[in-house]
Amino acid sequence: MTTSPKHPRNDRMLTVPALRQEITEGRIDTVVLAFTDMQGRLQGKLCHAQFFLDSMLEEGAEGCNYLLAVDTEMNTPGGYAISSWEAGYGDMSFAMDLDTIRVMPHNPGQVMIQCDLTAHDGQLIPMSPRAMLTRQLDRAREMGYQMLTGTELEFCVYNTSYEDAWDSNYHSLVPANRYNVDYNILGSQRVEPLLREIRNAMYTAGMTVESAKGECNFGQHEIAFRFDEGLVTADNHVVYKLASKQIAQQQGKSITFMAKPNEREGSSCHIHMSLRGLDGELSFWDEETNARSATYDHFIAGVLKGMRELSIFYAPNINSYKRFAKGSFAPTSVAWGIDNRSCAVRLVGHGGSARMENRLPGGDVNPYLALSAMLASGLYGIEHQLELEPMMEGNAYESDAQVVPSAMREARDLLEGSALAREVFGEDVIEHYVHYADVELEAFEAAVTDWELHRGFERL
């Protein structure tokens, strides 16, 4: 059992003594031990609360190490160094972060504790997404920085249950809104019973909830949360994603975070990020000149340098790349601009609010991987004092800037050949995620799609 000293405790999180009291007095009967897998999903165990107190709190819990080497279908493909029949499919330990004990109010009697994954020697498993982010946050601290970040996660709501969607092969889904409800109060209010329950549940679960708004696709919405320290934001992101699906299911609806669920607008996950000094001093702004600092420019240059090579961490699925289309508000150009939404990197704010927005990730992103990639490449830019290229003026979609990968195969090859990626993450981590891409590509290329059937069943 371990606890991280880097995770600030929220006053709505429970302490261990408070959890013990809640269990003893019968208000909590289930403790969920959860970690985030490669796909950004929470996996783990639902534990009887009294057994958790009597045994697991001190002795810990384990799970098979294939959980970091499965595909979306939970198949166990070969080729992963950490997990195989040859290696015996051994266990890894769930190292509880006891600063993350949160009530899950939509599941009565339940709390969740988020975990790191460690090997038998107690060391963090390096390709675990939470460990990858922790390593980059440690690297930032060693350089004198702390990272603040927020994720803006969009999703589509359907008045179709998950079971009915499955049974219909995801055809004829009924969107919660039948027209574009971008910023539309009426459209949001139509879905408000669901949005309200999610907002209130997540507040009780320890998050700082800001607002909800409609988006462009039919039934598309976004709930915004206040920025926080990097690990807190990533932890909150995956809890919110799981909880919103559970709440939708409880109301007979479904939510998808797919980057491109249909031919209309995709769902994004814009990431806002800034650095501060360890004492909170500004790093991205020069107060004497009232302008961006050199540190900020180097950081932006690093993110841009690494964007194509690390795109697997921003766009981790086959479907992710279908979102990148000209004029779609999803970026195609690796460029930066001031408040320019046609660029992959958009600069907003000034002074204490100065930050960069990475517009590449979609709603399907694993936040730990995306934040790791963004922070790692930005710190690389600071370390190497990379010069920032000229700002993009006008429409980046029609520029001659480099473009983001258009398919997972290209992104996979860029990651495999990236010296930057291997320097900042290590050989074992990069080989692990290159193989992750290989597994996804092999599965997709073997599939017979609806597109092929519709196009060729009769006519070819």
Side-chain angles (χ1 to χ4, degrees):
M1 180 188 69
T2 61
T3 181
S4 168
K6 303 160 191 167
H7 202 303
R9 185 185 295 281
N10 184 297
D11 60 8
R12 276 169 279 135
M13 300 288 197
L14 297 180
T15 62
V16 172
L19 174 59
R20 188 181 299 275
Q21 182 176 354
E22 290 292 300
I23 293 173
T24 301
E25 296 179 0
R27 288 183 289 273
I28 295 297
D29 55 53
T30 303
V31 177
V32 180
L33 300 182
F35 70 92
T36 304
D37 69 2
M38 289 194 296
Q39 289 80 8
R41 306 171 297 191
L42 283 171
Q43 309 279 33
K45 299 181 177 182
L46 280 67
C47 310
H48 188 273
Q50 192 59 52
F51 182 76
F52 172 83
L53 281 185
D54 295 342
S55 178
M56 301 177 82
L57 182 58
E58 292 302 324
E59 297 176 10
E62 300 82 28
C64 183
N65 61 22
Y66 69 61
L67 290 167
L68 280 179
V70 295
D71 64 12
T72 303
E73 298 278 5
M74 297 302 292
N75 297 315
T76 53
Y80 283 107
I82 69 164
S83 181
S84 66
W85 287 118
E86 290 73 21
Y89 279 118
D91 276 346
M92 53 191 176
S93 296
F94 295 175
M96 300 173 223
D97 186 337
L98 295 177
D99 288 334
T100 68
I101 308 172
R102 65 176 95 225
V103 176
M104 302 294 281
H106 59 291
N107 293 327
Q110 187 178 109
V111 299
M112 177 182 286
I113 302 174
Q114 286 167 275
C115 303
D116 285 307
L117 297 173
T118 62
H120 293 305
D121 61 2
Q123 295 298 309
L124 290 174
I125 295 176
M127 55 285 299
S128 164
R130 201 170 192 261
M132 289 170 63
L133 179 55
T134 297
R135 178 183 176 186
Q136 297 307 319
L137 291 169
D138 288 345
R139 182 173 157 226
R141 276 186 284 270
E142 291 168 2
M143 294 172 62
Y145 302 112
Q146 58 178 314
M147 184 258 277
L148 299 176
T149 188
T151 56
E152 299 177 339
L153 188 55
E154 296 174 354
F155 53 86
C156 290
V157 182
Y158 296 94
N159 293 331
T160 307
S161 71
Y162 284 114
E163 291 75 15
D164 288 343
W166 176 282
D167 289 342
S168 70
N169 279 331
Y170 302 96
H171 294 160
S172 303
L173 303 182
V174 180
N177 303 100
R178 307 297 181 91
Y179 51 85
N180 183 331
V181 295
D182 193 21
Y183 286 95
N184 185 287
I185 298 298
L186 176 62
S188 293
Q189 293 283 16
R190 290 283 296 273
V191 191
E192 178 60 0
L194 174 63
L195 301 179
R196 176 177 181 268
E197 178 64 21
I198 295 172
R199 292 197 309 271
N200 290 338
M202 293 303 91
Y203 179 82
T204 302
M207 302 177 200
T208 302
V209 187
E210 292 186 358
S211 60
K213 65 175 287 292
E215 293 287 346
C216 298
N217 202 337
F218 298 164
Q220 190 178 49
H221 294 266
E222 174 189 304
I223 299 175
F225 298 85
R226 183 170 174 79
F227 70 89
D228 213 315
E229 187 270 343
L231 200 60
V232 176
T233 291
D235 286 348
N236 287 346
H237 178 120
V238 293
V239 171
Y240 156 57
K241 193 170 179 179
L242 171 67
S244 62
K245 290 181 179 180
Q246 292 173 330
I247 293 169
Q249 184 272 331
Q250 291 167 2
Q251 296 189 14
K253 301 179 186 296
S254 57
I255 281 177
T256 183
F257 292 91
M258 285 182 67
K260 189 74 168 172
N262 52 44
E263 285 71 30
R264 287 186 59 87
E265 297 82 1
S267 290
S268 67
C269 179
H270 301 150
I271 297 177
H272 291 249
M273 184 177 291
S274 67
L275 297 184
R276 294 285 183 97
L278 298 181
D279 295 325
E281 64 271 21
L282 299 184
S283 299
F284 276 7
W285 202 258
D286 188 323
E287 294 183 277
E288 290 187 6
T289 62
N290 194 33
R292 293 194 317 272
S293 66
T295 297
Y296 192 4
D297 282 1
H298 295 322
F299 191 91
I300 300 164
V303 171
L304 290 171
K305 177 177 176 58
M307 185 163 279
R308 280 172 44 82
E309 297 170 22
L310 300 176
S311 54
I312 282 287
F313 296 141
Y314 299 130
N317 299 298
I318 297 287
N319 179 257
S320 307
Y321 297 85
K322 297 186 177 181
R323 178 174 151 266
F324 304 139
K326 288 186 176 183
S328 66
F329 286 94
T332 58
S333 297
V334 180
W336 72 277
I338 296 175
D339 198 17
N340 186 341
R341 284 183 167 88
S342 70
C343 298
V345 171
R346 170 177 170 250
L347 305 192
V348 290
H350 63 278
S353 67
R355 63 198 186 278
M356 65 178 300
E357 178 190 58
N358 184 346
R359 299 177 61 80
L360 193 65
D364 60 340
V365 75
N366 182 328
Y368 301 92
L369 300 184
L371 293 176
S372 297
M374 195 169 168
L375 179 58
S377 53
L379 294 176
Y380 180 94
I382 294 173
E383 289 173 326
H384 294 269
Q385 295 191 326
L386 297 183
E387 184 177 350
L388 182 59
E389 63 190 50
M391 178 178 71
M392 176 64 64
E393 304 268 7
N395 186 356
Y397 289 117
E398 303 300 332
S399 72
D400 58 359
Q402 279 194 310
V403 296
V404 302
S406 60
M408 195 176 196
R409 173 72 62 187
E410 181 184 2
R412 177 254 182 236
D413 292 344
L414 285 165
L415 181 66
E416 184 179 43
S418 173
L420 182 154
R422 294 178 186 276
E423 177 180 333
V424 298
F425 287 114
E427 296 283 342
D428 52 350
V429 171
I430 296 307
E431 290 303 319
H432 190 87
Y433 283 94
V434 167
H435 188 63
Y436 160 86
D438 287 339
V439 168
E440 290 298 300
L441 287 162
E442 181 179 349
F444 179 69
E445 289 165 0
V448 177
T449 66
D450 285 352
W451 183 88
E452 293 167 275
L453 288 169
H454 281 290
R455 197 173 184 88
F457 185 88
E458 176 181 348
R459 288 174 283 183
L460 296 183

